[in-house]
Amino acid sequence: MKKRKIELAVISDVHLGTYGCHAHELIAYLNSIQPKKLILNGDIIDIWQFKKRYFPAAHLKVLRKIIGMASKGTEVYYITGNHDEMLRKFSDTSMGNFKISNKLVLNLDGKKAWIFHGDVFDVSIQNAKWLAKLGGYGYDLLILINSFINWGLVRMGREKYSLSKKIKNSVKQAVKYINDFERTAADLAIENDYDYVICGHIHQPKKERYENKKGSCVYLNSGDWVENLTALEYSFKRWKVYHYNHDRLSPFFADEDLKEMDMNELIASITDKEVEIENVSEEYEGEKLESEKSLNDQSLSQD
């Protein structure tokens, strides 16, 4: 099948390195599109829960696919989120078509789009990060348990069931938090004369127009690749929320070009030559920080 040519694609909350990440489905989606710009709107790599013992080959393949898209001309913007906040020290770094930033403003057919992850609106992260991290571990465990339940449901011929969605929809405070998040983002966008405000973070895919006394804007959320498997797409001056589960991509976009790889091969795909870096798969603290610095310096010198 031919790839769909689109102006812009936005994905967020992939959470590579966690049990809930749907890496194979994301690769199938990325193989099906040919965007001019790809926005990675935060929480792509889950550094909060990074474990050396759990980072499957499929998760590395997602990184290689993204880097491959950049090498073939797609402009890739990595916007940092709270789960990959350690990358914020590299904000404004550029390596060819791959750029890292904390927020982004784009001009889309004469309209301004304000793009950021959205964790700045999360009080629990700002005031009690330890509690937010604990909640992240609990969420990952809930997703793992849910996967076993859904395996059993599918075997019995029944539809899959989302425990986290059920909890969120049944707890009034969670519903209020989501509504407040969306309203706050929209009000700030209107205040600053943005036509679109694009977030992730809350794992709730959405497209809705908001209005107040000062004007209006379109609020968009790319959802996630843990439960909803959604993205945002912009083409022909229109936005839409893409749902992987409403599509049937897997049989047509098999992962034939992405073979098993180690970390040196992944780095080589960025720099176009073999690079020797030790301990690059270690935690983003200690020894790994020095390895990342050498990779960054070498890539910049090549540009």
Side-chain angles (χ1 to χ4, degrees):
M1 290 181 65
K2 291 184 178 180
K3 296 186 177 184
R4 292 187 295 112
K5 294 183 180 181
I6 57 178
E7 291 291 322
L8 175 66
V10 184
I11 61 173
S12 70
D13 300 274
V14 176
H15 293 278
L16 293 171
T18 66
Y19 296 112
C21 173
H22 286 267
H24 290 292
E25 289 84 349
L26 178 56
I27 290 171
Y29 170 64
L30 293 175
N31 281 340
S32 74
I33 60 173
Q34 187 177 333
K36 292 181 180 178
K37 293 182 176 65
L38 174 64
I39 311 297
L40 311 174
N41 199 9
D43 289 0
I44 304 302
I45 303 173
D46 198 321
I47 300 176
W48 277 10
Q49 302 181 67
F50 188 85
K51 306 177 185 71
K52 290 184 290 183
R53 65 181 180 274
Y54 187 80
F55 204 87
H59 294 211
L60 281 176
K61 290 176 184 179
V62 171
L63 297 178
R64 184 175 181 179
K65 179 62 185 177
I66 291 170
I67 293 167
M69 293 173 75
S71 69
K72 293 178 182 178
T74 298
E75 293 181 65
V76 178
Y77 297 88
Y78 193 123
I79 300 175
T80 55
N82 51 298
H83 283 255
D84 46 20
E85 63 183 351
M86 194 163 289
L87 297 179
R88 285 176 175 164
K89 64 182 71 175
F90 301 109
S91 182
D92 300 324
T93 296
S94 176
M95 295 177 285
N97 284 327
F98 189 92
K99 303 171 180 65
I100 301 175
S101 61
N102 295 332
K103 59 182 181 296
L104 181 66
V105 175
L106 291 178
N107 187 308
L108 301 175
D109 296 306
K111 294 185 177 182
K112 290 194 298 180
W114 183 30
I115 309 170
F116 59 100
H117 182 62
D119 55 296
V120 292
F121 300 144
D122 197 327
V123 176
S124 66
I125 292 174
Q126 303 303 319
N127 298 330
K129 186 177 291 185
W130 66 269
L131 184 60
K133 288 185 177 181
L134 182 61
Y137 284 108
Y139 179 74
D140 197 33
L141 178 60
L142 181 64
I143 293 299
L144 182 60
I145 295 170
N146 204 168
S147 66
F148 286 109
I149 294 173
N150 283 334
W151 178 84
L153 290 173
V154 171
R155 296 273 292 185
M156 293 186 292
R158 299 173 61 181
E159 292 186 1
K160 292 182 179 180
Y161 185 81
S162 174
L163 289 173
S164 67
K165 285 184 181 179
K166 180 65 176 178
I167 293 171
K168 288 177 184 177
N169 293 336
S170 62
V171 179
K172 291 183 179 180
Q173 193 61 32
V175 174
K176 182 179 183 301
Y177 166 74
I178 292 170
N179 291 337
D180 289 348
F181 178 97
E182 294 170 354
R183 172 55 68 181
T184 300
D187 285 344
L188 283 173
I190 294 170
E191 181 75 23
N192 290 280
D193 295 322
Y194 293 113
D195 300 285
Y196 309 115
V197 56
I198 303 164
C199 300
H201 188 59
I202 58 173
H203 294 206
Q204 294 288 321
K206 194 169 187 180
K207 173 189 173 184
E208 185 170 331
R209 177 168 292 278
Y210 281 85
E211 297 182 0
N212 62 23
K213 295 179 179 179
K214 297 182 179 179
S216 67
C217 79
V218 175
Y219 166 86
L220 297 132
N221 196 298
S222 47
D224 66 279
W225 284 85
V226 176
E227 292 183 89
N228 295 295
L229 280 62
T230 52
L232 295 171
E233 295 181 354
Y234 179 82
S235 198
F236 301 108
K237 300 183 180 181
R238 293 183 179 181
W239 284 100
K240 78 169 185 177
V241 179
Y242 169 86
H243 292 264
Y244 178 87
N245 290 327
H246 297 171
D247 213 332
R248 292 293 182 269
L249 295 176
S250 298
F252 305 104
F253 295 96
D255 185 22
E256 303 260 339
D257 56 326
L258 297 176
K259 308 299 182 183
E260 296 295 324
M261 77 200 75
D262 58 24
M263 187 59 73
N264 279 338
E265 290 174 330
L266 176 62
I267 295 170
S269 71
I270 305 175
T271 60
D272 292 327
K273 68 178 182 178
E274 293 294 338
V275 178
E276 294 297 331
I277 291 183
E278 297 178 357
N279 301 325
V280 72
S281 62
E282 293 292 325
E283 302 259 1
Y284 276 81
E285 302 180 11
E287 304 132 328
K288 184 177 179 182
L289 184 58
E290 187 61 32
S291 294
E292 287 176 337
K293 183 177 184 299
S294 69
L295 171 60
N296 186 41
D297 292 340
Q298 182 166 352
S299 300
L300 287 174
S301 67
Q302 289 180 347
D303 288 339

